[in-house]
Amino acid sequence: MEETRNFIEKIIEDDLANNRVPDGKIRTRFPPEPNGYLHIGHIKAICVDFGMAQKYGGTCNLRLDDTNPAKEDNEYIDSIKTDIKWLGFDWGKNEYYASDYYQQLYEIALDLIRKGLAYVDSQTPEEVKLNRGTLTAPGVNSPDRDRSIEENLRLFDEMKRGMYPEGKYLLRAKLDMASPNINMRDPALYRIKYATHPRTGDKWCIYPMYDFTHPISDAIEGITHSFCTLEFEDHRPAYDWACTIDGIEHAPHQYEFARLNISYFVLSKRKLLQLVQQKIVSGWDDPRMPTISGIRRRGYSPESMKDFVSRVGLAKVEGQVDYSLMEFCVREDLNRRARRVMAVLDPIKLIIDNYPADKTEFFDAENNPEDPDSGTRPISFSGEVYIEREDFMEVPPKGYHRLYIGNEIRLKHAYYVTATSCEKDAEGNVTAVHCTYDPESRGGATADGRKVKGTSHWVNAKDCLKAEARLYDKLFASENPGFATGNYLDDLNPDSLIVNSVAVVETSLKDSKPGDYLQFIRNGYFTPDIDSTSEHLVFNRTVTLKDSWAKTKEKMGL
Ligand code: ATP
Ligand code: MG
């Protein structure tokens, strides 16, 4: 099958083939602003920036776009690095900060002023906005547009020395207030901001704007292909203008692709920050968050997410991807890698009356039928085990093939058992089930070859471990959070977390650690939470299994 290339690959291959790339080495960059944690949308950008560099033997810089000290933090920088590495990408020594270029940017700005190409504007922010015009009406020149070069130099210097309050002055490029592109109507280059910067501290109180900083940072680093999302398309003329400023020797090119949007998700750092600040979630790494740290804690693998973004593909039109495609990728990957273990989430005791008292025996349980190299582990068995409460019914409906009095089922890896009676409390709730086992059925098959329709998982009641299971669902109950009311917080799913503290698990999970991918047989994929210890095991449900019984139940209206 011929490999189909996306539009970005075509651009790169065309540039390489026509010697438009110095040394034939493409250079990209991933430029997050450290004002929040990375989310699933960023995985797409990371796979483009790092992925293309990797594919074509180039390099990808990590550039922290740290030009808004009021919102940025070292905690975010650290998390960004951790997340990119977790995805399996490496920037090597190429770690840069927009703030590394503050001095250069400042000198470029001075030069623009000296050449009469930039001016200090004293309009209020409201006036600036008003006079910028609209998509249909041209802007109005600032009364300060023709301020003398000397005065511009003096005012810019005084701005830099902290003599004016925020919002008092703005340095703007003198382009064209009548341009059909609003971003070309004298874009702001510098603003006054009093905030301690995570890296430059209080050295600066004027900060360069995105449309000025970004292209020049790209140019300084020798970036050949500067990829970003579609909302920057309208900024491309400003990007190209900045690359023509005197002294800029290398002109990179910007290319835009569609953002990743996923149904049921909000992917905006501003909204995610609000969820954290309002304590709607436990933090940026809450397993319900679409942040990389959230999905990692939830148990998604980096491979499944890379597979997901590659299936979504690269387009130039915005669209929304269905949440279920992401879960499909997660299940597919976990099906291959997850170790199968037994855990009972809603336990009820099954007492095997004809099993020798005080006897314990062991079975070899396969770790993963999908992976022949994964081996087996011993699991212990005795005359008392726990099974799921829903695996026994006193009065079974038609089509129910699990345990009921007189019915025989298989205990996974162990024996065939037949229910004989049950115990109940004063309210009539079943508290224990009695059964007999067939000693000839060891390992799950009988000499006479008789078949049973049900198989239940179980754990040995005599040595199992208690565990907390955190059952996660979507954080939002609506496909487009906020679509109906305008406030995405109106669409929170009240059942996005259900804590189960009665679960019991097999002993092999005693020392399980975050990053272990597990399948609790018939209950879903799980992973140990970062809160988990050997004394207090905590498991996060990553994603449910497709449960055929749930579907049957639905069909039968049960
Ligand atoms: P947000 O809108 O969530 O606050 P942002 O665009 O401000 O995100 P940045 O840190 O500036 O976040 O983004 C770094 C890079 O990631 C940019 O190149 C941006 O285009 C890209 N990016 C951000 N969100 C998405 C998304 N949903 N899909 C694809 N790429 C994205
Ligand atoms: Mg941004």
Side-chain angles (χ1 to χ4, degrees), residues 519-534:
Q519 185 194 95
F520 286 3
I521 291 173
R522 283 180 52 223
N523 276 319
Y525 291 101
F526 283 77
T527 197
D529 187 68
I530 52 177
D531 291 343
S532 188
T533 62
S534 315

Side-chain angles (χ1 to χ4, degrees), residues 30-33 39 41-42 45 229 232 257 259-260 267-269:
F30 174 61
E33 183 183 353
H39 53 61
H42 291 111
T229 36
F232 293 103
F257 60 89
R259 288 176 84 80
L260 178 63
L267 293 181
S268 141
K269 282 188 274 188

Side-chain angles (χ1 to χ4, degrees), residues 347-353 381-387 392 403 409 411 417-421 431-436 456-459 461:
I348 184 171
K349 199 173 265 183
L350 179 68
I351 302 161
I352 306 161
D353 291 317
F381 183 82
S382 73
E384 290 192 3
V385 299
Y386 288 112
I387 59 169
F392 173 78
L403 206 53
I409 62 155
L411 290 179
V417 292
T418 305
T420 51
S421 66
T431 52
V433 179
H434 289 264
C435 69
T436 55
S456 282
H457 59 282
W458 51 272
V459 296

